[in-house]
Amino acid sequence: MAGVALRTGVKPIGVSRGSAGVTVDLGDRGEVTGTDVLVTVGREPVTWDLDLDAAGVRLDARGCVEVDDGLAATAPRTWAVGDAAGSPQLPHAPGHAWRLEGSRGPRMQPCTPS
């Protein structure tokens, strides 16, 4: 029977291939067997070692740079985008590019394929 087995909040601890297909061991949460496996992980900003507070840039509880609606950070002439700003990680986001427009800060612009 074909289908999708979705598990959230689990930590895979092993993967094996057998006659029944690919099995993912989820420890005390059991296991899942199928023909294919897709594993995704959460994303988080990597800002902890940048010493941003020395520049006057405040971080929120998740480590994201605090920004306003224009993506300006708490330090003058400083902006944050993407994971660092806690922006939504949407499937279509790679179809856009960020462009810095002088002191007005970054604006999301459609990316034109070449």
Side-chain angles (χ1 to χ4, degrees):
M1 179 177 187
V4 174
L6 177 65
R7 302 291 190 272
T8 60
V10 298
K11 293 183 180 180
I13 58 174
V15 178
S16 61
R17 182 179 298 277
S19 59
V22 181
T23 299
V24 179
D25 181 356
L26 302 174
D28 62 354
R29 301 278 304 266
E31 59 183 33
V32 178
T33 300
T35 56
D36 298 284
V37 174
L38 172 64
V39 177
T40 63
V41 297
R43 297 176 71 165
E44 62 184 45
V46 183
T47 56
W48 55 270
D49 64 345
L50 297 177
D51 199 21
L52 293 173
D53 57 333
V57 176
R58 286 195 308 264
L59 303 177
D60 66 15
R62 292 181 30 225
C64 297
V65 176
E66 291 183 7
V67 295
D68 63 17
D69 290 341
L71 300 175
T74 53
R77 299 189 53 78
T78 306
W79 296 267
V81 297
D83 295 355
S87 301
Q89 303 302 309
L90 304 172
H92 63 275
H96 293 82
W98 290 96
R99 182 175 72 184
L100 185 63
E101 296 182 10
S103 64
R104 293 187 301 166
R107 301 286 183 250
M108 198 163 190
Q109 300 292 326
C111 181
T112 306
S114 53

Short mmCIF file of all heavy atoms in Angstrom, two decimals, residues 6-41:
data_model
loop_
_atom_site.label_atom_id
_atom_site.label_comp_id
_atom_site.label_asym_id
_atom_site.label_seq_id
_atom_site.Cartn_x
_atom_site.Cartn_y
_atom_site.Cartn_z
N LEU A 6 4.04 10.48 8.15
CA LEU A 6 4.62 11.73 8.64
C LEU A 6 4.79 11.65 10.14
O LEU A 6 3.85 11.34 10.87
CB LEU A 6 3.70 12.90 8.28
CG LEU A 6 4.11 14.27 8.76
CD1 LEU A 6 5.41 14.70 8.10
CD2 LEU A 6 3.01 15.27 8.49
N ARG A 7 6.02 11.92 10.60
CA ARG A 7 6.30 11.94 12.04
C ARG A 7 6.97 13.27 12.36
O ARG A 7 7.92 13.65 11.69
CB ARG A 7 7.25 10.80 12.43
CG ARG A 7 6.77 9.40 12.08
CD ARG A 7 5.57 9.01 12.95
NE ARG A 7 5.24 7.61 12.79
CZ ARG A 7 4.43 7.13 11.88
NH1 ARG A 7 3.86 7.92 11.00
NH2 ARG A 7 4.15 5.84 11.83
N THR A 8 6.49 13.96 13.36
CA THR A 8 7.11 15.21 13.77
C THR A 8 7.66 15.08 15.18
O THR A 8 7.17 14.27 15.97
CB THR A 8 6.10 16.38 13.72
OG1 THR A 8 5.02 16.08 14.62
CG2 THR A 8 5.57 16.59 12.31
N GLY A 9 8.66 15.85 15.49
CA GLY A 9 9.23 15.85 16.83
C GLY A 9 9.95 14.58 17.20
O GLY A 9 10.03 14.23 18.37
N VAL A 10 10.46 13.87 16.21
CA VAL A 10 11.18 12.62 16.48
C VAL A 10 12.64 12.77 16.08
O VAL A 10 13.00 13.64 15.30
CB VAL A 10 10.56 11.41 15.73
CG1 VAL A 10 9.13 11.18 16.18
CG2 VAL A 10 10.62 11.61 14.24
N LYS A 11 13.48 11.91 16.64
CA LYS A 11 14.89 11.89 16.30
C LYS A 11 15.23 10.51 15.75
O LYS A 11 15.32 9.55 16.51
CB LYS A 11 15.74 12.19 17.53
CG LYS A 11 15.58 13.59 18.03
CD LYS A 11 16.48 13.87 19.21
CE LYS A 11 16.28 15.29 19.69
NZ LYS A 11 17.14 15.61 20.82
N PRO A 12 15.41 10.40 14.43
CA PRO A 12 15.79 9.11 13.86
C PRO A 12 17.14 8.68 14.42
O PRO A 12 18.07 9.49 14.50
CB PRO A 12 15.90 9.38 12.36
CG PRO A 12 15.23 10.68 12.13
CD PRO A 12 15.27 11.43 13.41
N ILE A 13 17.24 7.42 14.82
CA ILE A 13 18.51 6.95 15.38
C ILE A 13 19.17 5.90 14.50
O ILE A 13 20.28 5.48 14.77
CB ILE A 13 18.34 6.41 16.81
CG1 ILE A 13 17.33 5.28 16.86
CG2 ILE A 13 17.93 7.53 17.75
CD1 ILE A 13 17.24 4.62 18.23
N GLY A 14 18.50 5.49 13.43
CA GLY A 14 19.10 4.53 12.52
C GLY A 14 18.25 4.31 11.29
O GLY A 14 17.04 4.51 11.32
N VAL A 15 18.92 3.92 10.20
CA VAL A 15 18.24 3.60 8.95
C VAL A 15 18.84 2.32 8.42
O VAL A 15 20.06 2.13 8.44
CB VAL A 15 18.43 4.73 7.91
CG1 VAL A 15 17.77 4.37 6.59
CG2 VAL A 15 17.90 6.05 8.43
N SER A 16 17.97 1.42 7.95
CA SER A 16 18.46 0.18 7.36
C SER A 16 17.61 -0.18 6.15
O SER A 16 16.46 0.23 6.03
CB SER A 16 18.41 -0.96 8.40
OG SER A 16 17.08 -1.17 8.83
N ARG A 17 18.22 -0.96 5.24
CA ARG A 17 17.52 -1.41 4.05
C ARG A 17 17.36 -2.92 4.14
O ARG A 17 18.30 -3.62 4.44
CB ARG A 17 18.28 -1.03 2.79
CG ARG A 17 17.57 -1.43 1.51
CD ARG A 17 18.32 -1.03 0.27
NE ARG A 17 18.51 0.41 0.13
CZ ARG A 17 17.60 1.24 -0.37
NH1 ARG A 17 16.44 0.77 -0.78
NH2 ARG A 17 17.85 2.53 -0.48
N GLY A 18 16.15 -3.38 3.89
CA GLY A 18 15.88 -4.81 3.92
C GLY A 18 14.93 -5.19 2.81
O GLY A 18 14.60 -4.36 1.93
N SER A 19 14.42 -6.41 2.83
CA SER A 19 13.53 -6.89 1.78
C SER A 19 12.20 -6.11 1.75
O SER A 19 11.55 -6.01 0.72
CB SER A 19 13.25 -8.38 1.94
OG SER A 19 12.65 -8.62 3.20
N ALA A 20 11.81 -5.54 2.90
CA ALA A 20 10.56 -4.78 2.97
C ALA A 20 10.74 -3.32 2.53
O ALA A 20 9.76 -2.59 2.39
CB ALA A 20 10.00 -4.81 4.40
N GLY A 21 11.98 -2.88 2.35
CA GLY A 21 12.25 -1.49 1.95
C GLY A 21 13.23 -0.83 2.90
O GLY A 21 14.09 -1.49 3.48
N VAL A 22 13.08 0.45 3.08
CA VAL A 22 13.94 1.23 3.96
C VAL A 22 13.21 1.44 5.28
O VAL A 22 12.06 1.87 5.30
CB VAL A 22 14.28 2.60 3.33
CG1 VAL A 22 15.20 3.39 4.24
CG2 VAL A 22 14.91 2.41 1.96
N THR A 23 13.89 1.11 6.38
CA THR A 23 13.29 1.26 7.71
C THR A 23 14.05 2.30 8.50
O THR A 23 15.27 2.27 8.58
CB THR A 23 13.30 -0.08 8.47
OG1 THR A 23 12.54 -1.03 7.72
CG2 THR A 23 12.71 0.06 9.86
N VAL A 24 13.30 3.24 9.07
CA VAL A 24 13.88 4.27 9.94
C VAL A 24 13.52 3.92 11.37
O VAL A 24 12.34 3.78 11.71
CB VAL A 24 13.34 5.67 9.58
CG1 VAL A 24 13.94 6.72 10.50
CG2 VAL A 24 13.63 6.00 8.12
N ASP A 25 14.53 3.79 12.22
CA ASP A 25 14.35 3.48 13.63
C ASP A 25 14.15 4.79 14.38
O ASP A 25 15.01 5.66 14.37
CB ASP A 25 15.57 2.74 14.15
CG ASP A 25 15.47 2.36 15.62
OD1 ASP A 25 14.47 2.73 16.28
OD2 ASP A 25 16.40 1.69 16.10
N LEU A 26 12.99 4.94 15.02
CA LEU A 26 12.66 6.14 15.76
C LEU A 26 12.77 5.94 17.27
O LEU A 26 12.15 6.65 18.06
CB LEU A 26 11.25 6.61 15.39
CG LEU A 26 11.03 6.90 13.89
CD1 LEU A 26 9.57 7.22 13.63
CD2 LEU A 26 11.94 8.02 13.42
N GLY A 27 13.55 4.95 17.68
CA GLY A 27 13.75 4.69 19.09
C GLY A 27 12.47 4.28 19.78
O GLY A 27 11.74 3.43 19.29
N ASP A 28 12.13 4.95 20.89
CA ASP A 28 10.91 4.60 21.63
C ASP A 28 9.64 5.03 20.91
O ASP A 28 8.54 4.74 21.35
CB ASP A 28 10.96 5.18 23.04
CG ASP A 28 11.01 6.71 23.06
OD1 ASP A 28 11.14 7.32 21.98
OD2 ASP A 28 10.94 7.27 24.16
N ARG A 29 9.77 5.70 19.75
CA ARG A 29 8.60 6.10 18.95
C ARG A 29 8.32 5.09 17.83
O ARG A 29 7.52 5.36 16.94
CB ARG A 29 8.82 7.49 18.35
CG ARG A 29 9.05 8.60 19.36
CD ARG A 29 7.81 9.19 19.99
NE ARG A 29 6.82 9.70 19.09
CZ ARG A 29 6.71 10.95 18.68
NH1 ARG A 29 7.58 11.85 19.09
NH2 ARG A 29 5.74 11.31 17.87
N GLY A 30 9.03 3.96 17.84
CA GLY A 30 8.78 2.91 16.86
C GLY A 30 9.67 3.01 15.64
O GLY A 30 10.79 3.47 15.71
N GLU A 31 9.14 2.53 14.53
CA GLU A 31 9.87 2.59 13.27
C GLU A 31 8.92 2.79 12.12
O GLU A 31 7.72 2.55 12.24
CB GLU A 31 10.72 1.34 13.06
CG GLU A 31 9.96 0.06 13.02
CD GLU A 31 10.87 -1.17 12.89
OE1 GLU A 31 11.99 -1.15 13.43
OE2 GLU A 31 10.42 -2.12 12.24
N VAL A 32 9.45 3.24 10.99
CA VAL A 32 8.67 3.47 9.78
C VAL A 32 9.40 2.79 8.64
O VAL A 32 10.62 2.95 8.50
CB VAL A 32 8.53 4.98 9.47
CG1 VAL A 32 7.76 5.19 8.19
CG2 VAL A 32 7.84 5.68 10.62
N THR A 33 8.68 2.02 7.83
CA THR A 33 9.27 1.34 6.69
C THR A 33 8.56 1.77 5.42
O THR A 33 7.34 1.92 5.39
CB THR A 33 9.14 -0.20 6.84
OG1 THR A 33 9.82 -0.60 8.03
CG2 THR A 33 9.75 -0.92 5.65
N GLY A 34 9.33 2.01 4.37
CA GLY A 34 8.76 2.41 3.09
C GLY A 34 9.75 2.21 1.96
O GLY A 34 10.86 1.71 2.17
N THR A 35 9.35 2.61 0.77
CA THR A 35 10.23 2.46 -0.39
C THR A 35 11.27 3.57 -0.44
O THR A 35 12.35 3.40 -0.99
CB THR A 35 9.42 2.48 -1.70
OG1 THR A 35 8.66 3.69 -1.75
CG2 THR A 35 8.49 1.28 -1.78
N ASP A 36 10.92 4.74 0.10
CA ASP A 36 11.82 5.90 0.11
C ASP A 36 11.72 6.59 1.46
O ASP A 36 10.73 6.44 2.18
CB ASP A 36 11.42 6.90 -0.98
CG ASP A 36 11.53 6.29 -2.36
OD1 ASP A 36 12.67 6.18 -2.84
OD2 ASP A 36 10.50 5.93 -2.93
N VAL A 37 12.74 7.38 1.78
CA VAL A 37 12.76 8.12 3.03
C VAL A 37 13.14 9.57 2.72
O VAL A 37 14.07 9.84 1.97
CB VAL A 37 13.80 7.54 4.02
CG1 VAL A 37 13.90 8.41 5.26
CG2 VAL A 37 13.45 6.12 4.38
N LEU A 38 12.39 10.50 3.30
CA LEU A 38 12.71 11.92 3.22
C LEU A 38 12.74 12.42 4.65
O LEU A 38 11.75 12.34 5.38
CB LEU A 38 11.66 12.70 2.42
CG LEU A 38 11.79 14.21 2.44
CD1 LEU A 38 13.09 14.65 1.76
CD2 LEU A 38 10.60 14.85 1.76
N VAL A 39 13.89 12.95 5.06
CA VAL A 39 14.04 13.47 6.42
C VAL A 39 14.29 14.96 6.31
O VAL A 39 15.14 15.41 5.53
CB VAL A 39 15.22 12.79 7.15
CG1 VAL A 39 15.41 13.39 8.53
CG2 VAL A 39 14.99 11.30 7.25
N THR A 40 13.54 15.76 7.05
CA THR A 40 13.78 17.20 7.09
C THR A 40 14.08 17.59 8.53
O THR A 40 13.67 16.90 9.47
CB THR A 40 12.56 17.99 6.59
OG1 THR A 40 11.45 17.73 7.46
CG2 THR A 40 12.20 17.59 5.18
N VAL A 41 14.79 18.67 8.67
CA VAL A 41 15.15 19.14 10.01
C VAL A 41 14.76 20.60 10.14
O VAL A 41 14.62 21.31 9.15
CB VAL A 41 16.65 18.97 10.29
CG1 VAL A 41 17.03 17.51 10.28
CG2 VAL A 41 17.49 19.72 9.27
#
